[in-house]
Amino acid sequence: MPYWRLSAFYFFYFSALGVLAPFWALYLKDSGYTAIQIGELMAIPMATKMIAPFVWGVIADHTNKRMQIVRSGALAAFLTFLLVFWVSGFWPLAIAMTLFSFFWNAVLPQVEAVTFRHLDQESAMYSRVRVWGSIGFIAMVVGVGYLIDHHGSRVILYTLAVLYAGFWVATQLVPEESTPAEHEHQHQPHSFFSLLKSPPILTFVAACFLMQFSHGAYYTFYTIYMQGFGYSETLIGEMWALGVIAEVVLYIFFMHKLLERFGARTLLIASLAIAGLRWLLIGHFGDSLAILLFAQLLHAATFGSFHAAAIHYVHHAFTHKLQGRGQALYSSISFGAGGAAGSVASGATWELWGATTVFSIAAVIAFSGMLITIIGMDRRGG
């Protein structure tokens, strides 16, 4: 199993996310965009996830050349990102963001499928590979927060350009997935769309959508929200990092044991419940650093355990030739449709209703996801 080569990919991919998620909205704010425009622009990378992963997943499943597709997408993402250095204005920037995010977002689901193929029967150990993505995220939110404090928000562009170049190089190192075992050449018992129409899968899809929808205000406005209470960019970066450090601890020491003991369904339900609590704490206690610190520790559940459990569920529910499309579906619905809808909704309501109300609504959405998962999801894949 090419552990370090796969880990390098996750490191660079999520390092870039560690710049985009916490600081891109800040760059947009400093560039003069309004809250509504920021919400719409921040939704673009998520919206492309509704299309790009599935399109590329179909091609990858039919050609079985996932890493060739990944390498092409990584190079195109790097080249199209360079456009942001020259464009100005809402629509030119929106077009540039659509282009580079379309290619960037198509890559991860296919590498997830490759990773699970290399893991073979040790799928619960996925978190040991994925943890390097979290480490990269931590390094960026701390380092870039410090750089912004001292050099301004334009440093975000240069950092992302370097990371996208490293991301492309990392894809050159990951080997193509191993030849499928003989039994995997057999036909999937169900077609993709018949499987998709089954109530447990529909429930899973809805839960993923609602979880990421509830994250909309956090990913779009958390940095700006913290600035409003007088926290520095360095401290804000450290707060983002704290959440991911909690995720790293979970991945290294506990995640594989939790999956084996409780299964994916139970962990998804618990993660949604904790997400609801987290949004209430952030929205109602923004002036309390101690409570905000505790809320950031809950990121281990709201992203860490939820993502690992969801990936585990998809791996077992979509087998054989449907693996690429299954991973793409999860990415498209969760980080794509759910994230985009949450970003746009929070942008449209942030100035109208205020942060407390927006985060309270996010909590209700997370609790709703918990309830429908309890009612409608089976124990497939654990």
Side-chain angles (χ1 to χ4, degrees):
M1 206 274 285
Y3 176 83
W4 287 110
R5 286 175 284 176
L6 287 167
S7 298
F9 167 83
Y10 285 100
F11 178 86
F12 279 103
Y13 185 94
F14 286 97
S15 290
L17 187 62
V19 180
L20 277 173
F23 300 119
W24 192 250
L26 178 61
Y27 168 75
L28 296 174
K29 176 176 174 286
D30 289 348
S31 298
Y33 295 98
T34 67
I36 293 176
Q37 289 175 322
I38 291 172
E40 292 170 347
L41 289 169
M42 290 293 287
I44 289 174
M46 303 171 193
T48 59
K49 284 187 179 179
M50 292 187 283
I51 302 172
F54 190 75
V55 171
W56 290 43
V58 171
I59 297 172
D61 280 343
H62 283 291
T63 63
N64 204 33
K65 299 293 183 182
R66 299 189 198 282
M67 287 312 302
Q68 288 186 17
I69 293 172
V70 165
R71 291 166 191 142
S72 299
L75 178 59
F78 168 62
L79 294 176
T80 52
F81 175 76
L82 297 179
L83 293 173
V84 302
F85 283 91
W86 293 283
V87 299
S88 61
F90 178 84
W91 285 110
L93 180 59
I95 293 170
M97 289 181 64
T98 300
L99 289 173
F100 83 75
S101 64
F102 177 84
F103 295 111
W104 185 54
N105 286 330
V107 168
L108 181 61
Q110 303 316 312
V111 177
E112 301 277 34
V114 170
T115 299
F116 273 103
R117 182 64 61 83
H118 284 299
L119 287 170
D120 197 20
Q121 301 301 313
E122 300 294 328
S123 60
M125 300 299 290
Y126 161 81
S127 59
R128 297 289 180 89
V129 179
R130 172 60 179 78
V131 70
W132 286 98
S134 301
I135 292 171
F137 190 101
I138 292 168
M140 288 304 108
V141 294
V142 173
V144 174
Y146 175 84
L147 290 174
I148 293 172
D149 266 345
H150 291 81
H151 302 288
S153 59
R154 192 165 176 81
V155 73
I156 295 168
L157 299 184
Y158 298 100
T159 305
L160 281 172
V162 172
L163 291 174
Y164 279 127
F167 162 62
W168 171 67
V169 171
T171 64
Q172 310 303 306
L173 306 178
V174 178
E176 194 66 69
E177 62 191 82
S178 56
T179 304
E182 183 178 347
H183 68 86
E184 292 199 36
H185 287 291
Q186 300 171 3
H187 293 296
Q188 173 85 9
H190 305 284
S191 71
F192 178 79
F193 289 105
S194 65
L195 189 62
L196 183 58
K197 290 187 291 185
S198 66
I201 298 296
L202 286 174
T203 300
F204 170 73
V205 167
C208 291
F209 175 88
L210 292 173
M211 178 58 115
Q212 285 306 309
F213 191 107
S214 78
H215 278 70
Y218 174 72
Y219 283 131
T220 306
F221 290 108
Y222 183 71
T223 297
I224 296 172
Y225 176 66
M226 294 279 285
Q227 277 187 321
F229 286 98
Y231 301 111
S232 70
E233 280 78 8
T234 299
L235 177 60
I236 294 169
E238 291 169 349
M239 293 288 284
W240 280 90
L242 176 64
V244 187
I245 289 170
E247 174 191 321
V248 168
V249 172
L250 176 77
Y251 278 155
I252 294 176
F253 297 107
F254 304 108
M255 197 63 231
H256 63 288
K257 297 177 183 177
L258 291 172
L259 275 171
E260 290 172 354
R261 180 171 181 180
F262 297 106
R265 176 180 178 272
T266 300
L267 292 179
L268 293 174
I269 292 169
S271 299
L272 284 157
I274 294 171
L277 172 63
R278 186 186 183 193
W279 308 143
L280 288 175
L281 292 176
I282 291 175
H284 289 265
F285 299 97
D287 57 346
S288 172
L289 183 59
I291 292 178
L292 289 178
L293 288 170
F294 174 73
Q296 286 304 92
L297 293 176
L298 299 183
H299 185 78
T302 64
F303 180 83
S305 63
F306 187 90
H307 176 66
I311 289 288
H312 185 81
Y313 186 89
V314 169
H315 178 65
H316 289 276
F318 296 87
T319 57
H320 307 305
K321 293 288 288 184
L322 301 186
Q323 185 64 210
R325 275 167 283 181
Q327 297 292 353
L329 173 71
Y330 165 63
S331 180
S332 298
I333 296 298
S334 183
F335 302 106
S343 181
V344 171
S346 64
T349 57
W350 188 263
E351 292 182 348
L352 181 64
W353 294 342
T356 299
T357 300
V358 172
F359 276 113
S360 297
I361 293 172
V364 172
I365 291 169
F367 288 137
S368 299
M370 176 195 69
L371 290 175
I372 67 169
T373 305
I374 292 172
I375 295 169
M377 189 172 167
D378 65 0
R379 298 182 180 275
R380 185 184 322 234

